[in-house]
Amino acid sequence: MTRFSKRSARSLLSSFALFLISVTLTIGCSNPASNMQTSTNPGSQAASPAAGQVRLGFSAWPGWFPWQVSQEKGIFQQNNVSVDLKWFDGYLESINTLTAGQIDANSQTLGDTVSSMTGGADQVIVLVNDNSTGNDKVIVRDGINSVADLKGKKVAAEEGTVDHFLLLQGLRKAGLSPKDIQFVPLETGKAAAAFVGGQVDAVAVFAPFTTQALKRSGSKELFSSKEFPGAISDHLVFTRKFVDANPDKVQAMVDSWFATIDFINANSDAAIAIMAKRAGVSVEDYKQYADGTKIFTIAENLKAFQPGNDMTSLSFAATEMSKFLTEVGLAKSAPDTSKLLDDRFVKAYAQKAQKA
């Protein structure tokens, strides 16, 4: 689901116009911080781990930078788990590395996880990190003041990622179609650079690339994921093989995540400094991301794992995403998502927290 062709994306709009407006299009929060280079050797960072280590992948997204805090503040060790934390300059590379079994866990979206399952991957979501509430944006040059003004303009985005689909949703809501713009498919970092360089009129990117894009004189946000609530969820995803063999380590990872969020809440200045450095942006720039990413509490995690009939329920969202993949021709048949979610680790943490 990460690499749609333009034809598939356009077909999506004609077949699923309303679906795009209301359904979770959790495709990917891809790629690196604005001053980093994309790796050209997929899986190169996935060397053999030390005995007993958990190999965890993450990439540039505000909802995943807390893992850097976990590492630097010894929170993994405090929870008795050894972690080989692997930074990926390219989000897509991290997905492929997990699918290949070269890491044990990854930070990725619901949509990309379901998409991986269509190719035969056996993966498990054990935690909700966050929802995007504005950190995915469509940014435009001076003189473009409405979505209608995008007609005939050059608009860049990484094809098939969440920001491409955010763009499509915005177009549809304004009564436009993909063929009304000149779509320029570029990797996210290159898309932001092309916009700053004046090569395109608009760009769809996620934080921290939003900071880079907004450096263009006269540029501004046209719309964001804030206008499409619940559209982008991000998760801690393990291979099923690892979960079955190491439930104690999975529990320790979930415990570490919530301990990290507690640390960030109690020590915001120190934590933000760590996350801003990993993001490659200033502390002040990083603080601007706060309202654009909703970090899930334990209560919100428990609720998300419950069955439901709207997109706030992960099981409902996964089923709808499976249908979506099939309808647009990206999967021959809908994958079985009945075993995708495993809430026992979140529940166990909640019980421990309640007793504490």
Side-chain angles (χ1 to χ4, degrees):
M1 188 151 195
T2 312
R3 292 287 188 186
F4 272 86
S5 69
K6 281 185 268 189
R7 181 176 179 182
S8 296
R10 288 171 182 167
S11 151
L12 168 112
L13 278 181
S14 59
S15 306
F16 286 90
L18 294 177
F19 185 76
L20 280 173
I21 301 302
S22 60
V23 165
T24 301
L25 294 172
T26 50
I27 314 300
C29 306
S30 42
N31 299 328
S34 55
N35 64 340
M36 298 179 181
Q37 299 297 314
T38 301
S39 172
T40 57
N41 184 13
S44 62
Q45 304 181 57
S48 298
Q53 277 194 319
V54 179
R55 299 169 297 177
L56 169 63
F58 77 126
S59 50
W61 173 248
W64 298 330
F65 288 132
W67 290 126
Q68 190 72 30
V69 178
S70 305
Q71 183 184 57
E72 295 193 21
K73 290 301 178 180
I75 294 173
F76 292 130
Q77 292 90 329
Q78 292 167 20
N79 285 277
N80 300 312
V81 61
S82 177
V83 177
D84 181 10
L85 186 63
K86 296 181 179 294
W87 171 262
F88 286 87
D89 286 348
Y91 168 64
L92 303 182
E93 181 187 351
S94 74
I95 294 173
N96 293 336
T97 305
L98 180 66
T99 299
Q102 294 176 314
I103 53 177
D104 306 306
N106 192 39
S107 306
Q108 60 190 53
T109 68
L110 174 62
D112 279 318
T113 304
V114 173
S115 180
S116 295
M117 293 175 66
T118 68
D122 197 3
Q123 299 174 353
V124 184
I125 290 175
V126 301
L127 172 74
V128 183
N129 300 112
D130 69 274
N131 271 1
S132 175
T133 53
N135 274 335
D136 295 270
K137 303 179 187 293
V138 172
I139 296 169
V140 297
R141 64 164 172 77
D142 187 36
I144 297 177
N145 300 306
S146 68
V147 178
D149 291 340
L150 290 176
K151 191 168 184 177
K153 303 297 191 301
K154 291 182 179 179
V155 185
E158 184 164 358
E159 192 169 35
T161 63
V162 66
D163 297 283
H164 181 198
F165 285 89
L166 175 65
L167 170 65
L168 296 180
Q169 291 182 82
L171 291 175
R172 175 61 193 178
K173 190 175 181 179
L176 301 179
S177 75
K179 59 187 176 183
D180 287 320
I181 65 170
Q182 297 182 55
F183 181 67
V184 181
L186 292 172
E187 178 271 328
T188 304
K190 293 178 180 177
F195 177 71
V196 173
Q199 299 167 17
V200 296
D201 303 298
V203 66
V205 289
F206 58 90
F209 289 109
T210 49
T211 298
Q212 181 186 5
L214 286 167
K215 289 180 179 178
R216 177 171 172 172
S217 179
S219 65
K220 58 183 177 292
E221 174 187 320
L222 187 62
F223 62 89
S224 74
S225 52
K226 185 176 182 179
E227 281 94 315
F228 300 91
I232 307 165
S233 63
D234 303 293
H235 306 275
L236 173 60
V237 183
F238 278 88
T239 65
R240 188 175 306 280
K241 180 180 178 181
F242 188 89
V243 173
D244 290 345
N246 304 279
D248 56 331
K249 290 185 175 63
V250 177
Q251 186 65 63
M253 294 298 291
V254 171
D255 292 353
S256 295
W257 172 262
F258 288 112
T260 300
I261 300 307
D262 288 343
F263 176 89
I264 292 172
N265 290 337
N267 305 273
S268 62
D269 289 345
I272 290 172
I274 292 171
M275 294 187 289
K277 182 178 179 181
R278 176 69 278 182
V281 300
S282 71
V283 167
E284 290 307 310
D285 282 339
Y286 196 89
K287 287 179 178 179
Q288 295 177 18
Y289 305 150
D291 292 336
T293 300
K294 166 61 178 172
I295 300 294
F296 268 39
T297 64
I298 182 61
E300 288 163 337
N301 260 272
L302 291 170
K303 183 179 179 181
F305 277 100
Q306 292 176 359
N309 56 6
D310 62 31
M311 299 308 293
T312 64
S313 165
L314 292 177
S315 59
F316 180 90
T319 299
E320 291 301 308
M321 189 58 64
S322 296
K323 294 177 183 177
F324 168 77
L325 288 167
T326 306
E327 292 290 346
V328 299
L330 292 176
K332 293 182 179 179
S333 59
D336 180 7
T337 60
S338 62
K339 297 180 180 179
L340 172 62
L341 308 175
D342 192 338
D343 65 353
R344 60 180 147 150
F345 306 104
V346 169
K347 285 181 175 178
Y349 175 82
Q351 290 175 352
K352 287 187 289 187
Q354 188 174 26
K355 291 179 181 178

